[in-house]
Amino acid sequence: MLKNIIALVLGVLVGGVVNMSLIMVSGSIIPPPAGVDATTLEGLQESMHLFEFKHFIFPFLAHALGTLVGAAVVTVIASSHQQRYAMSIGVVFLAGGITNVVLLPSPLWFNVVDLVGAYLPMAWLGWWLVGRVRGGGVGRTS
């Protein structure tokens, strides 16, 4: 049980690092609109209406890849119930995504794509990919 708890904590931490790393580099790859302070919540709230489709690519990738990597980490480390723990990572990151939707006035299309596609499906995919790499087809569920 302790190993599973450690796996869950490490999954959240590693997934969070992946998420934040992508968010941190996103502005240097796709700069925010001119005059936008994307470093504070208030700056984002005030200027979200200026963002274009391209500005939402990295946030989606950060959410999806952070969840995928976190779920994969849990699947590799957990001693049992790998799928359940991988999906738990998806739920934790989904809660963060819901918080993001509440705090930032993002376009509806992005909110739907992000909440539906970046969390639970990526958690399942992280679990499944580890199972494929291990050669067992789909990840273990026990």
Side-chain angles (χ1 to χ4, degrees), residues 30-135:
I30 302 173
V36 170
D37 177 13
T39 61
T40 67
L41 179 61
E42 294 78 19
L44 286 170
Q45 288 172 332
E46 292 173 10
S47 58
M48 190 60 70
H49 67 281
L50 300 172
F51 282 67
E52 302 171 30
F53 174 81
K54 66 183 179 182
H55 298 111
F56 294 98
I57 294 170
F58 266 88
F60 177 80
L61 286 175
H63 301 164
L65 294 176
T67 304
L68 182 123
V69 170
V73 166
V74 160
T75 304
V76 167
I77 298 172
S79 59
S80 63
H81 306 289
Q82 288 83 7
Q83 186 178 25
R84 184 176 304 161
Y85 284 108
M87 295 309 291
S88 295
I89 292 292
V91 169
V92 168
F93 279 79
L94 176 61
I98 292 169
T99 301
N100 205 31
V101 165
V102 170
L103 294 176
L104 288 174
S106 304
L108 179 61
W109 68 264
F110 176 74
N111 293 339
V112 171
V113 168
D114 194 52
L115 294 178
V116 171
Y119 303 105
L120 298 180
M122 291 296 122
W124 183 88
L125 185 61
W127 165 77
W128 183 83
L129 287 172
V130 169
R132 296 288 295 181
V133 168
R134 287 181 172 168

Side-chain angles (χ1 to χ4, degrees), residues 1-8 78-81 85:
M1 183 178 203
L2 181 60
K3 187 175 180 181
N4 290 345
I5 292 169
I6 291 169
L8 193 58
S79 59
S80 63
H81 306 289
Y85 284 108

